[in-house]
Amino acid sequence: MRTPETGRGWQRVTIWMVVLAALGLSLLITSEAKSYEPTEASPKTHVYMVVFDQMPVVTYNGKILGLRGTAKYFSERWRKTHKRAHVSDLVKKYNAYLIKEQDKILNEFFGFEGCEKVYRYTHLVNGVALSLTDDEAERLAEHPRVERVQKSYRVYPSTVHTPDYLNLHKGVWSQFGGPVGAGENMIIGIVDTGIDPTHPSFTTRGQKLYGPLRKYRGRCDVAKEFPRGSCNGKIIGARFFNAAIKKGGFNASIHFASPLDGEGHGTHTASIAAGNYGVPVIMNGANFGKASGVAPRSRIAVYKALYRHIGGFIPDVIAACDQAVADGVDILSLSLGPNSPPSGSSTTFLNVLDIALLNAVKANVLVVQAAGNEGPYPKTVTSFSPWVLSVAAGVDDRTFRNTMVLGNRQIIKGTGIAPPTRGGGLYRLILAQDAVQGRGDPLLSPSECQSPKLYNNLLVRGKILICTYTFDFVYGGSTMQQLVKTAKSLGAAGVTVVVDSDSSGQKFEPVPLAIPVIVLPTSADSNILLSYYNRFTKKDRKGKILTFGATARIGNGQTITYTRSAQRVALFSSRGPNVKDFNFNEADILKPNIMAPGYMIWGAWTPIGTSQAAFAGQRFAMISGTSMATPHVAGLAALLKWKYPTWSPSALVSAMTTTADVADRFGRPLQAQSPSPDGSPLLQTATPFDMGGGALNIHAAMNPGLIFETGYLDYVRFLCSLSTPREVLGATKMSCPRLAGKPTDLNIPSITFANLVKTVYVARTVTNVAAVAEKYTISITNAPDFVVTANPAVFTIGVGRRNKQTIVFTVRATRASQASSFARITFKGSLSHVIRVPVSVVNKRLR
Ligand SMILES: *[C@@H]1O[C@H](CO)[C@@H](O)[C@H](O)[C@H]1NC(C)=O
């Protein structure tokens, strides 16, 4: 999951992922084997994706079949006019031809016995997913018409305040038709856990009519639990893909064979991208403000491929992406990823998902993907390719501070999102261990308040109970929900939660609670409370309590404070450098690309969702992850595309990443939460490997002045620069030029060297998208280990997109070093446009 479980340990998740990655699929297969009881007669099968030699539909150039004309059903002209809402006959013919060819190869290979088909792909991938034995897979890979065979692997799904934080209210939405018109008729495809169509974030009641949209060709998978009408125009289409997960763990009673979200994650991400404007967020009777999606008038197309507890399997995810692009989405939002670079191809960029996503970009669909939650360590990004916009998660400016006042008037600062103790009076304090009755329960620690049975309710009633937050909470054995239940059932006036160590305190993430609770997350504050308690609690020689003299009251923790501090990179957010293969060699491509809010984000939730204990039964949840950051960017991309319908995916990416903030409002560099020796997050200056271009700034993204454009052929050339022509031909059906070029030639708004030897020249070409001619001056901050210069450093660029300017940058190593270092190139326009390009170098050699 791309969600590091609020209040629980993302660390635990990470550990599990590492284990799963090491075992590959065997872990799953073991549990599956129990139910299937394979015998010698039926050797174990796995799902494999098989890619054939001919090009998929989006790459089709009309050359096969002897048919004439163009088959680009996503042509620019079509996009602009929307007149031809139907796939051209040629495409239909080619699609039918591919299916026939696929069957021909399979019939030839499997003969009379046939094979078990899981999926057929034609749009982004020309291939099938099949249930095969390892031996069959190996033999099929040798077939002359098979390009590659890839075993299925697992992927994991990786706001009321955010629209304000991103300044959407302050004039941005007004440029997109106001909050009730922002992103009108853009379609955001969400590949996730489905959706709760009854949620107020997606209702059309009281909203301006969502009319039919002819450019969308998708359908609505209707089921008993997802009735007709669930696709209401706001939700323009909804599908589910479970053929692969059915081979290993699908359970209809909790996973639903329909687009219904049984998890919560997909409902949450969809609401962040395009939830209705101004939906009140109410939880435990408290109003936490109003929620709005970033593009409140955009349509949501739901492609369910992830499931509760399990996450998903790549054949389902590819089927979902294939369908989304065929249906005509504008933006594809993927809050999911593998937990490590997938094996099976020579580079990460050639894995089946990334090549499918390349074809999505070819079809003019921007793909936004979560960077991963495996941070804060280097090389943990799980979104790899230059044609994908990879999103890091930022911690925004909300704090959930609260205070408690002790009987001796001392004030202790703590945290928590909960109501105050009733009235203004003081309540007696009681330590959970001092309230224990009977012999306890060997499985339950008396300090953690996990069961009312352990405690004498006569003693606890009306007092503030002191419980202890330990690593049991971090690892999920104990929960805040159980603690609240215990306190409620004992009739406590409130709860103060102390920590047993700073490192467990660091892992605490507040969730909204219905009773007065304050957490003292540092051991220093915890000790102040405990020594006060001990001083005023009289005990006899045997330790029996005579009087409870310590008192306190808990303040109101439901008023959220905004510090106006800038975003910081969240500790869990995956970091670069990007990796080019599964041996973790560094790539010459920057990842992540941008940062957006992803920490404790309010979003829609489904009451049947079970993945977040804190929000069970609720309609809203506040959760964290690069999963939450991703739909912010997808929503903003929809707004931009609405404003600039002719912009290519690379233009959208360029506009957002080159105008992102790198400093706070005082001009201080943005920071990243980084690990410190004691496990607590330490703030360090954020690098491009933490946040890419920086923190999303939608104001600036709307008017970048210059953009860096990259097209499909450039991406193919990029692949040619690091793979064999044969591999590139297999993946893209394109021939490599004789001169292979270098990965750093790709015209993207970043320059990244895994290995810089002596002096290297890098060219970049900018295009003017402003309505005026402008003079630009380039300035460069140089790193300690290398120097960058620009030629020309000053240029004037004319009006219109035909006007381009190429700049040659000289990057020279000045000191041998194996530490990453960074520079920044700034283009400053005479008419106030400013764009920035990060330069990142890992290894530097002088000779
Ligand atoms: C499916 O899920 C339900 C509800 O959790 C459970 O009771 C049932 O045992 C599960 N079935 C299988 C085959 O795992």
Side-chain angles (χ1 to χ4, degrees), residues 219-231 238 240 257-259:
R219 348 185 278 244
C220 193
D221 285 337
V222 174
K224 202 169 101 232
E225 72 276 4
F226 200 86
R228 212 167 290 285
S230 296
C231 294
F240 74 102
S258 77

Side-chain angles (χ1 to χ4, degrees), residues 663-669:
D664 68 9
R665 68 201 153 96
F666 304 110
R668 295 173 303 206

Side-chain angles (χ1 to χ4, degrees), residues 251-254:
N251 179 342
S253 67
I254 55 168

Side-chain angles (χ1 to χ4, degrees), residues 35 249-255 308-309:
S35 49
F250 185 78
N251 179 342
S253 67
I254 55 168
H255 293 143
R308 188 193 282 182
H309 303 318

Side-chain angles (χ1 to χ4, degrees), residues 402 404 415-416 418-421 427-430 432 447-449 460 463-469 473 480 482-488 490-498 513 515-520 529 553-555:
N402 197 4
M404 71 185 300
T415 175
T421 42
Y427 294 83
R428 283 179 202 287
L429 289 162
I430 181 166
S447 68
E448 292 175 6
C449 308
V460 176
K463 294 196 182 75
I464 293 175
L465 183 63
I466 304 173
C467 309
T468 307
Y469 189 85
F473 286 83
M480 288 300 287
Q482 207 52 43
L483 178 149
V484 165
K485 263 192 205 160
T486 303
K488 242 179 165 168
L490 295 170
V495 183
T496 295
V497 182
V498 295
L513 301 170
I515 65 163
V517 178
I518 186 169
V519 180
L520 310 179
L529 179 81
R553 66 184 165 84
I554 296 173

Side-chain angles (χ1 to χ4, degrees), residues 378-442:
K379 299 199 218 181
T380 46
V381 284
T382 53
S383 172
F384 311 103
S385 294
W387 46 87
V388 171
L389 179 56
S390 310
V391 187
V395 177
D396 62 25
D397 67 336
R398 281 162 310 158
T399 59
F400 308 94
R401 289 186 193 143
N402 197 4
T403 52
M404 71 185 300
V405 181
L406 306 185
N408 63 2
R409 297 200 181 163
Q410 197 170 3
I411 295 172
I412 308 182
K413 286 187 181 146
T415 175
I417 309 166
T421 42
R422 212 170 287 172
L426 295 166
Y427 294 83
R428 283 179 202 287
L429 289 162
I430 181 166
L431 188 67
Q433 294 90 312
D434 291 340
V436 170
Q437 67 172 7
R439 296 173 51 197
D441 180 330

